[in-house]
Amino acid sequence: MERCRLDLQNSQLASMSISDVAFRWGFNDAGHFSRAFKEQFGVTPREYRQDNPQPYDEAEPHHVNRGWPQEAIVHKRQRAAVFPDADPDRSGSRLDALFDKSSKHHHLQANENTVHWGYFSKALPAVLQINSGDKVTIEAVTQHGNDDRERMIDGDEGMERIYRWTPTSKNIDRRGAGPVDASVYGRGSGEGFGVHILTGPIAVKDAKPGDVLEVRILDVLARPSANPKHAGCCFGSNAATWWGFHYEDLLTEPKPREVVTIYQFDLKQDRPTAKAIYNYRWTPQVDPFGVVHSKMDYPGVPVDHQTIEKNMNVLKDISIPLRPHFGVIGVAPRETDLVDSVPPSYSGGNIDNWRVGKGSTIFLPVAVPDALLSIGDPHASQGDSEICGTAIECSLTGVFQIILHKRGELEDKPFADLTYPLIETPDEWVLLGFSHPNYLAELGEQAQSNVYEQSSLDLALKDAFRKMRRFLMTVHKLSEDEAISLISVAVDFGVTQVANGNWGIHAILRKELFDKARL
Amino acid sequence: MERCRLDLQNSQLASMSISDVAFRWGFNDAGHFSRAFKEQFGVTPREYRQDNPQPYDEAEPHHVNRGWPQEAIVHKRQRAAVFPDADPDRSGSRLDALFDKSSKHHHLQANENTVHWGYFSKALPAVLQINSGDKVTIEAVTQHGNDDRERMIDGDEGMERIYRWTPTSKNIDRRGAGPVDASVYGRGSGEGFGVHILTGPIAVKDAKPGDVLEVRILDVLARPSANPKHAGCCFGSNAATWWGFHYEDLLTEPKPREVVTIYQFDLKQDRPTAKAIYNYRWTPQVDPFGVVHSKMDYPGVPVDHQTIEKNMNVLKDISIPLRPHFGVIGVAPRETDLVDSVPPSYSGGNIDNWRVGKGSTIFLPVAVPDALLSIGDPHASQGDSEICGTAIECSLTGVFQIILHKRGELEDKPFADLTYPLIETPDEWVLLGFSHPNYLAELGEQAQSNVYEQSSLDLALKDAFRKMRRFLMTVHKLSEDEAISLISVAVDFGVTQVANGNWGIHAILRKELFDKARL
C-alpha cells in the first residue's frame, strides 16, 4: 500500500492510472484498493494524487523550450487591452458576466477575440462560461484559409478578422507557443510552434481537476464560402508539408517540396464527397511583416497566387466520401502554461481521429479549474495516419452538448479513472494511445521539443494496449488473462496519426462483443 | 538509365519495385521506362532483373542461422522413403503423375503426407499439381490442436496422423526451419523455428518467377470435432505466449506466464460467434521424447490436462463475431531453402490479416518454378495487431480458385509489378507493408534471426506508404503529389500484426473513391 502511495506521488508515473498502480502492486480489484487506501490514508487514491501536487505542477510554471509564460502573460494583457469590447461574448471583464444563466444553448462565433492560435494555456481567460448540460454551437475555423484566400477567407467576416495582417499589425499576433519576439527562428510571434486556430477556451462551471468532461457532438455543419464568386460552395485544403511522414521519402523531383491541394465539397448528394480542384507547390512567400517563408513554417501566411503554378484536373474521377470531424478537442493541460497545440496528450488536443464526428462523444480528464475547453482544426476527411501532415482542412461549425461528471460520481462509469481522451461512437469505444501518454510530465524540461524526437508507433501501440487492458479490467471486470485474450482476438489497432509529434495508435472495441449492454 | 540497370541488379534493392526504380531516376511513367529500357538493353526491366541472378539467389543456398538446407534435404528424402504411397495424391514419384488432367476441382486432405510443419522450402516436392483456373478444396489444420486434444484432435484421422508422436517416433519429425538434430535449443527437430502446419505445397503448372498467382477464397468451412463427446461442435484456441507483444508488460502475478483460452463456436446463428469455455496457464510439459517445455517453445507438444488448472466461466457474456481466415497463404521464397514460417515477406506467408477470408482474393508474386503454394494457420477471429501472439486458432477448410497470370500479361493489371502480397476484398484493396519487405534479401546471412530483432511499426508504415503510393501511381496513373494527398485524406493504415517477427502495417484503399471502375 505504501508503494502504491509513493507511485501516486511520482510524476514519472503521472500517466499510469490508479487502477494500474493497484494492479501493479498486487491488488486485483480497483474498488477494493480504493477503499483500503482510504481506510489507511483518509482520502481516496484519486484525491491523494490530486491533492499532492507533483513537481511539474508548481505555481510557477517551468520554462520549457517552447513555452514562454512571461511573454504570454504580457501578450494576454495586451490583447485584453486592445479588444476589450469587440465581441459581445466578452463584454464583461469578469468571467461571471460571460455566463447567461437563462441560456442553455450558446453560440460561439469565431473571431479574433474568441480564438487562440497554436497553443493551449491554463492562463487564458475563458471566452464563454457554461453549465454542465448546456449546448454550444461552436464555429471552428481552419488555419489553412490562406492556402486559397479567395475561397476560404474573402467575404467571411470572422475569417477576415482572424487572418487580418498588415505591414504594421496582426489581429492575432501570437501563433504558437514560442516567444512573442520570435527569437528562435524569426518566423513570427509564437514561432508557429503550434498551428491550430482554436475556438475557446470555454469555462465549465464547477469543473475541477479530477472531473471528466463529456463532449457530445450533436451536429457538424460545413461553413460555405462567403465570397459571392463561390456562393454556397464549400472548400478545404490538404497540405503535404515538411512535417509529413512522407517528406524525406519523396520519389520524384523536385525534392523536397511542399504541395497544397484544394478540394471542393459536394454536399448535395446522399453521400457527401470532396473532389480536388487543383494543386500547387509551395513557393517562398513573403509575409506582410517582410519575413520570407521558404517552407510552410508559420500559420496564416498569405499565399500570393501570382507566385504559384496551379495544376488543374488533379485527382480526376476521384470522390472522397466526407468524414467531417474536429482534429482538435482538448482541455488546458496543467503541467505548464503555454503548450504547443500540435502534440496531443492526456488532455486531448490535436487528436486527429476522424471518428470524432457527428454522433460521437469524447471524454476528457479535466486538468485545471473550469476545464478550459477549446475546439478547432476541423477536417472534412482524413485517413488513419494523416501521412502527409494534414487532412482536408476546412472550417466547420459544430453543435455540442457538454456534460461535467464530478470526480466523486465516476465509479462504475466507463470513463472512471480516465487519464486519456476516450471516444465513444454509436458502435465502438475508441481508446487513444500515444507514444508518450503525458509527454509534458514524462519528457522533462525539454518536453515540448523532445516529444518530436522520441515518438514511435511501437510506443504508441504499447500505450494503446495498456489502456485497452485497463478498460476491460475496470469497466468490464475481466481478469488480465481474459482481457489480453479478448484484445488479441477482437480488438483492432489502427494508426491514428504520424503527423503530430506525439504519434498515435487507437484501439477499437466493438460494443457488439458484449451480450448485455453494460454501459 | 544505366543507374536504373544497376539498381535492378542490386540485391539491397530487391524489395524496390521496378516502377520505383524508374521514378527514382526521373522517369515519370513506368510504361515509358520499360519501353526505353528494352530499346537500350534488349530485354524488359522485369526480364533483366529476373535473368540477372542476384547474389542471394545462387544455386547453392546460403547458410543462414535458421536454415540448414543439407539436413533438410536428408530429411526430405527420409520422408519420401517412409511415406511413398501413404496418400493417393502422392502415389506417383514424378510430379506429372500428381496431375489429374480431367479434374478441375481437386481436394487436398490434411495428413502427415500433405503438410509441412513450420517452414517454407523451394526444395519441397509438391503434393498436388494444378492448372491455372482450377479449384482446390484445401484442409488447413491448426498447430494448436494439442492445447485441447480431446476437442481438436481425438477421432479426427487427419489430425491424429499429423500429431502422432510416440516415445520412439513422430509422424512429422521436423517442425520448424532449424536443424533436424535440434542442436541449438534441444527443443526438437526443426527447433520450432516456425510453427505453422501448412498444407501443400501445390505446384501450379507453368508458373515461373515473375508471374503472379491469384488465390481466390470462394468459401471457408469450419472443421467440426470428430470426438463423439463433442460431435458437431467446433473449437479453437488462443494462446497468449512468450512471443506476444504483451509478454514483458504483464501487470498481475505470476509474471511472466503463458495462458491458453479455449473457444467454442456458435455457427447456428445468422451471426456466427465464438465464446470462451475456459482458460489455463501453461505448465511445464514433457513431450513424448522426454524434453521438458517450460514455455510454448515447440509446436504440437501434447498438453497433459492433469497438470493444468482450468478456469471456467471466463469472458462471460462476451461473444466474438467470427472473421474466419487463413493466417498463412504463401508461395516458396527463392532466397534460401528452409525458411521459418513465422515472418511474413514478399512471398506472403504468415500474413495474419483477417481480411483474407471468404470472398477475398490474395495476389502473390511467384518466386520459384511451380510457385509452390502452401496454406495454413487458420483462424476463427483475430484483431488487427494479434497482440498476444495468436488469434483464435482452429482448423478450417477452404475452397480456393487459383489463377496464374503470366509475367508478359500483367500490364495495366492492378497486380502488375507486384513485389508483395496484395489483398482484394469486395470493397477494398489492402496492401501489406512489413518492417522488412524482403527480409531474407535485406538482412544478410543472419536474416532469419535479425528480422526478430530489427522490426518496428515505423518501418512497416513506411513500407505500406511506399507500396500504396506506387499502387496509386501505377494502377491509377496519379502523380506522386496526387497520390500523397489522396493517401493522407482517404487511406487508412492499421496494425496487421506485432506477433510475427517481421511486423506488419496494412494500407486500405476503398474502391468507392473511384468514380469509374478502372480495375
Side-chain angles (χ1 to χ4, degrees), chain A residues 238 249 251-252 257 263 275 315 317 323 384 457-458 466 469 480-482 485 488 492 515, chain B residues 238 249 251-252 257 263 275 315 317 323 384 390 457-458 466 469 480-482 485 488 492 515:
Chain A
N238 169 252
D249 198 35
L251 275 173
T252 58
R257 64 182 180 275
Y263 288 84
K275 271 179 176 289
L315 292 164
D317 301 327
R323 296 167 164 178
D384 279 335
L457 289 176
D458 304 348
R466 290 174 173 175
R469 174 178 56 186
E480 185 177 23
D481 292 340
E482 292 175 297
S485 183
S488 198
D492 295 318
D515 298 346
Chain B
N238 169 252
D249 198 34
L251 275 172
T252 57
R257 64 184 180 274
Y263 288 85
K275 272 179 175 288
L315 292 164
D317 301 327
R323 297 166 163 179
D384 279 335
T390 67
L457 290 175
D458 303 349
R466 288 174 173 175
R469 175 177 57 184
E480 186 178 23
D481 292 339
E482 292 175 297
S485 182
S488 198
D492 295 318
D515 297 346

Side-chain angles (χ1 to χ4, degrees), chain B residues 371-432:
Chain B
L372 297 181
L373 175 72
S374 299
I375 292 176
D377 191 31
H379 293 166
S381 180
Q382 189 206 294
D384 279 335
S385 82
E386 203 181 18
I387 210 117
C388 82
T390 67
I392 299 180
E393 312 279 332
C394 67
S395 299
L396 296 173
T397 297
V399 182
F400 302 87
Q401 185 174 26
I402 295 164
I403 296 162
L404 181 69
H405 299 273
K406 297 300 294 176
R407 71 176 180 184
E409 300 158 5
L410 298 176
E411 204 172 348
D412 288 331
K413 298 245 169 71
F415 43 83
D417 194 22
L418 193 68
T419 57
Y420 58 91
L422 170 68
I423 301 167
E424 182 180 9
T425 75
D427 301 321
E428 299 162 343
W429 291 93
V430 183
L431 283 62
L432 300 177

Side-chain angles (χ1 to χ4, degrees), chain A residues 16 19-21 23-28 238 240 245-246 248-253 255 257 259 261 263 271 275 279 281 311 313-321 323 354-355 381-392 455-459 461-463 465-466 469 473 476 478-496 498 503 505-506 510 512-516 518, chain B residues 16 19-21 23-28 238 240 245-246 248-253 255 257 259 261 263 271 275 279 281 311 313-321 323 354-355 381-392 455-459 461-463 465-466 469 473 476 478-496 498 503 505-506 510 512-516 518:
Chain A
M16 181 174 267
S19 322
D20 282 355
V21 169
F23 294 140
R24 179 179 155 99
W25 294 114
F27 291 89
N28 287 316
N238 169 252
F245 186 85
H246 72 294
E248 303 289 341
D249 198 35
L250 289 165
L251 275 173
T252 58
E253 297 293 344
K255 292 189 274 195
R257 64 182 180 275
V259 177
T261 307
Y263 288 84
R271 178 174 161 276
K275 271 179 176 289
N279 71 17
R281 291 180 184 165
N311 304 299
N313 289 316
V314 293
L315 292 164
K316 217 164 155 261
D317 301 327
I318 292 176
S319 301
I320 299 160
R323 296 167 164 178
W354 57 265
R355 294 158 189 84
S381 181
Q382 189 206 295
D384 279 335
S385 82
E386 202 181 19
I387 210 118
C388 82
T390 67
I392 300 181
S455 279
S456 92
L457 289 176
D458 304 348
L459 289 173
L461 177 64
K462 178 162 288 197
D463 183 45
F465 158 66
R466 290 174 173 175
R469 174 178 56 186
M473 291 175 74
H476 290 282
L478 301 186
S479 70
E480 185 177 23
D481 292 340
E482 292 175 297
I484 288 171
S485 183
L486 187 63
I487 292 170
S488 198
V489 306
V491 170
D492 295 318
F493 292 82
V495 180
T496 316
V498 286
W503 291 359
I505 294 264
H506 53 260
R510 289 166 285 154
E512 64 168 349
L513 298 176
F514 301 93
D515 298 346
K516 298 171 189 167
R518 297 197 195 194
Chain B
M16 181 174 267
S19 324
D20 282 355
V21 169
F23 294 139
R24 177 179 155 101
W25 296 114
F27 291 89
N28 287 316
N238 169 252
F245 187 85
H246 71 292
E248 303 290 339
D249 198 34
L250 289 164
L251 275 172
T252 57
E253 296 295 343
K255 292 189 274 194
R257 64 184 180 274
V259 177
T261 307
Y263 288 85
R271 177 174 161 277
K275 272 179 175 288
N279 71 16
R281 293 182 182 162
N311 304 299
N313 289 316
V314 293
L315 292 164
K316 216 163 157 263
D317 301 327
I318 292 177
S319 301
I320 299 160
R323 297 166 163 179
W354 57 264
R355 294 158 190 85
S381 180
Q382 189 206 294
D384 279 335
S385 82
E386 203 181 18
I387 210 117
C388 82
T390 67
I392 299 180
S455 280
S456 90
L457 290 175
D458 303 349
L459 289 172
L461 177 64
K462 178 163 286 196
D463 183 45
F465 158 66
R466 288 174 173 175
R469 175 177 57 184
M473 291 176 73
H476 290 282
L478 301 187
S479 70
E480 186 178 23
D481 292 339
E482 292 175 297
I484 288 172
S485 182
L486 187 63
I487 292 170
S488 198
V489 306
V491 170
D492 295 318
F493 292 81
V495 179
T496 316
V498 286
W503 290 0
I505 294 265
H506 53 261
R510 288 166 286 155
E512 64 169 348
L513 299 175
F514 302 93
D515 297 346
K516 298 170 189 168
R518 297 196 195 196

Side-chain angles (χ1 to χ4, degrees), chain B residues 179-192:
Chain B
V180 166
D181 66 1
S183 55
V184 182
Y185 294 109
R187 298 167 178 171
S189 175
E191 288 284 15

